Amino acid sequence: MKFFVVEICTEYLLAPATFLTESLTLLEDNFLAVALTVVFLTVVFLTVAGTAVVLIALVVGATVGLAVGATVGLAGAGFDVLIHGPAGCGKSRAGLEVGKVMQREGGVYAFRAGMRKADLLYSKELRDGSSVVELSPLMREVRTGVVTVIDEVFSVDPEVLIGMNGLLESGQRCIDTPLGVVNRDAEHRFILTSNTDGRSESRIYRAPQTHDASTLSRVISVHVDYDEDVELQIAAASLAPEWQWLTEQAHKLRRAVRDNAIALDVSTRWIVQACKLNKRGFTKERSFGLTMLERLSDSERKRVGAAVCQHAACFEAA
């Protein structure tokens, strides 16, 4: 069984010069697997006689994965969290599950390139011939104690992310808008998701910027990746005749793609798509070729060919 360490470093509530570092070793179990035993991490900070006491509770769940458990614990301890990992590994789902588990489910907001700071702060519409300006749904939400999920946080232009920093800053938690200062509720939490950790070059987002580090310093990062055991269970549930073969080939392809430094994420979604085709009567080779090999260039297929499907039909289908 695999293990990993989450290291939390935060200031004592009543001793700003003192830092508390707590290394928590958690069982790394299947991510978002239905009916699997997983670990929730709940960290509660109590202040007694001027001393910050850390209470760590491990709670067993059955339908939520490790990333959710760790994020619930961090959010419960007062942190905003960045969940990052490859496409289709369940980041957005994890963010939603955190709100459900904490019974504080909020909205989901997708950031995008070209989004302006004004879009973050307010909305404007025409009512009865007059222009009406209101706080944006996101600004109204941060004034409540819910968990808000923001997808693709590093896809936005710099001015938006810089504007977010005021909300993320623990000693500030506010932002100035044309309608006045908006203060975050003490219990409100942000769960940010991204395909990048905010430091690495990414083919999906703009290049990392200096201000990204400023945002990262205000959150705790949780990395998630594809879980092969979970993918096998998802594929089995599809009832596709060749679900196991398709999933194992996808795993071989993923390893080959990574070994050859090919800029491609072999997503869990592709496995689901292949199983759907197979269930509808497509051969396993054609299902695999259409949903996975089709996404590779001719040269890339040659580079991974020896490590994956040896059936000519796979490559013919692609």
Side-chain angles (χ1 to χ4, degrees):
M1 187 170 289
K2 300 173 288 183
F3 294 83
F4 85 123
V5 176
V6 175
E7 187 172 83
I8 300 175
C9 182
T10 184
E11 294 180 293
Y12 276 120
L13 296 177
L14 299 183
T18 305
F19 287 87
L20 173 65
T21 301
E22 196 60 39
S23 293
L24 308 172
T25 301
L26 305 177
L27 294 176
E28 180 180 353
D29 213 325
N30 293 327
F31 173 63
L32 291 179
V34 176
L36 293 181
T37 301
V38 297
V39 181
F40 282 168
L41 169 67
T42 305
V43 183
V44 181
F45 283 81
L46 303 175
T47 303
V48 180
T51 302
V53 180
V54 180
L55 174 63
I56 302 168
L58 297 182
V59 183
V60 177
T63 60
V64 188
L66 177 68
V68 175
T71 305
V72 167
L74 294 169
F79 295 99
D80 297 310
V81 181
L82 169 68
I83 302 177
H84 64 92
C89 67
K91 302 181 296 296
S92 300
R93 171 72 183 277
L96 288 170
E97 290 295 333
V98 170
K100 291 178 181 178
V101 169
M102 298 182 72
Q103 297 185 333
R104 289 159 52 186
E105 190 174 1
V108 180
Y109 301 85
F111 277 11
R112 66 190 186 280
M115 182 178 177
R116 302 173 304 158
K117 186 178 178 181
D119 299 324
L120 176 74
L121 301 179
Y122 60 89
S123 61
K124 184 184 295 185
E125 61 180 67
L126 193 64
R127 294 181 189 170
D128 299 326
S130 300
S131 180
V132 178
V133 178
E134 295 180 333
L135 287 176
S136 68
L138 176 58
M139 289 300 101
R140 295 197 297 269
E141 188 164 303
V142 300
R143 298 189 297 186
T144 68
V146 300
V147 176
T148 298
V149 178
I150 295 183
D151 273 335
E152 315 297 358
V153 66
F154 289 114
S155 66
V156 293
D157 294 337
E159 66 161 352
V160 179
L161 205 55
I162 292 172
M164 281 286 296
N165 285 344
L167 290 170
L168 294 169
E169 177 59 50
S170 59
Q172 184 175 346
R173 294 178 65 87
C174 67
I175 189 169
D176 194 17
T177 81
L179 298 173
V181 176
V182 172
N183 294 288
R184 279 181 74 189
D185 185 270
E187 298 301 317
H188 180 268
R189 299 291 179 267
F190 277 121
I191 307 298
L192 314 177
T193 77
S194 174
N195 284 39
T196 176
D197 58 8
R199 300 176 60 243
S200 308
E201 291 291 338
S202 170
R203 65 184 183 279
I204 298 176
Y205 303 130
R206 53 170 170 71
Q209 305 289 317
T210 302
H211 63 267
D212 293 349
S214 180
T215 299
L216 288 171
S217 70
R218 291 167 164 83
V219 299
I220 290 185
S221 297
V222 174
H223 179 258
V224 297
D225 203 347
Y226 303 111
D227 190 310
E228 293 188 353
D229 292 332
V230 173
E231 288 176 332
L232 282 166
Q233 295 185 35
I234 292 172
S238 74
L239 302 180
E242 300 291 344
W243 64 267
Q244 185 169 0
W245 185 91
L246 289 167
T247 308
E248 290 173 350
Q249 291 299 318
H251 294 167
K252 290 179 183 179
L253 177 60
R254 182 182 293 148
R255 287 190 283 272
V257 161
R258 289 180 173 180
D259 289 345
N260 285 275
I262 296 174
L264 189 72
D265 292 323
V266 181
S267 170
T268 305
R269 295 189 186 105
W270 298 3
I271 297 174
V272 172
Q273 292 168 359
C275 287
K276 285 182 178 180
L277 287 179
N278 184 232
K279 189 176 181 181
R280 290 175 178 269
F282 287 71
T283 65
K284 63 182 182 182
E285 295 85 7
R286 185 161 176 75
S287 298
F288 180 69
L290 288 172
T291 59
M292 302 191 203
L293 295 181
E294 177 67 30
R295 303 172 195 267
L296 299 170
S297 67
D298 290 339
S299 62
E300 288 171 341
R301 289 177 205 164
K302 291 177 181 178
R303 289 161 63 187
V304 304
V308 295
C309 178
Q310 299 303 306
H311 296 274
C314 291
F315 294 91
E316 291 170 1

